[in-house]
Amino acid sequence: MARVAIVTGGSRGIGRESAERLASDGFAVVVVYGGNKDEAQAAVDAITGRGGQAIAAQADVADEQAVAAVFDTAEKTFGGVDVVVHAAGIMYLAPVAELDLDRLDRLHRTNIRGTFVVDQQAARRVRDGGAIINFSTSVLGLALPGYAAYAATKGAVEAVTLVLARELRGRDITVNAVAPGPTATALFLDGKDEATIAGMAAQPPLERLGTPSDIAEVVSFLAGPARWVNGQVLRANGGIV
């Protein structure tokens, strides 16, 4: 029987690449999407077209009933849940002095409450021997102007990750966070001019932006062979910090 992974934010970017990578590793995958059913179905089709197993499921990650229903679906369809990759998130950029507080509330709801809700279900329902993988950001260490609200939400993600790893003692479940650096996704590229992008690409010693597949490689590692990596934040950023 295949191991089963739930991937939130699985219809695009790092989430989609992670879903496809886990499917190629032999996981049956539940691709969780927020609003774009067509993109989620395209991710499913890409996986099944290569002989993998996948279904799409819609959920607002901050809605505990919707998230519980996703886990129900995974259990009914594939028999259980072994890995949860929580890649869903939103980002608004503005200096502290200028940020619209409604946007702060939306960041909090999706990035903090959403992580807590997904992790709560994962803590209750991931099978022994599984893995929970959250997403932080390397911006937390870089402290870039304009990123205060977003980085603050990811600081909360790291706190939840490290505590949950210890709360799951005795179940052989690892809990880690991946903290990408600048990665060429729509979320990152949106609103940035070429000079800004070129400047960020020049920062790592490897002198390029990360790619979604670079991050999916780390997810694959944490979801599978990395059984002795637990309660950690893995900064996948080409060596910026």
Side-chain angles (χ1 to χ4, degrees), residues 11 28 35 77 82 87 92 124 163-165:
S11 65
T77 307
D82 299 288
Y92 297 121
R124 294 170 179 172
V163 172
L164 183 57

Side-chain angles (χ1 to χ4, degrees), residues 213-233:
S213 62
D214 289 325
I215 311 305
E217 184 84 24
V218 179
V219 170
S220 172
F221 172 65
L222 293 174
R227 299 309 303 166
W228 198 233
V229 180
N230 189 29
Q232 303 298 317
V233 178

Side-chain angles (χ1 to χ4, degrees), residues 26-147:
F27 283 85
V29 180
V30 179
V31 176
V32 182
Y33 66 98
N36 197 317
K37 185 176 183 178
D38 290 343
E39 286 191 343
Q41 190 57 49
V44 169
D45 291 345
I47 290 168
T48 57
R50 298 187 194 104
Q53 293 179 276
I55 59 170
Q58 194 276 336
D60 170 0
V61 292
D63 179 340
E64 64 271 30
Q65 292 179 324
V67 172
V70 168
F71 279 77
D72 291 343
T73 297
E75 290 170 354
K76 288 173 185 170
T77 307
F78 297 125
V81 179
D82 299 288
V83 170
V84 173
V85 179
H86 179 46
I90 61 172
M91 180 169 67
Y92 297 121
L93 304 182
V96 170
E98 298 170 18
L99 183 72
D100 181 325
L101 292 179
D102 286 342
R103 288 191 158 190
L104 179 67
D105 291 342
R106 288 200 288 275
L107 280 166
H108 182 280
R109 186 176 190 279
T110 298
N111 293 3
I112 301 179
R113 180 187 167 95
T115 297
F116 204 96
V117 167
V118 171
D119 281 9
Q120 185 175 71
Q121 286 297 317
R124 294 170 179 172
R125 301 170 75 167
V126 166
R127 291 188 282 211
D128 291 2
I132 299 169
I133 302 163
N134 290 324
F135 268 81
S136 180
T137 173
S138 285
V139 165
L140 215 54
L142 295 172
L144 297 177
Y147 282 82

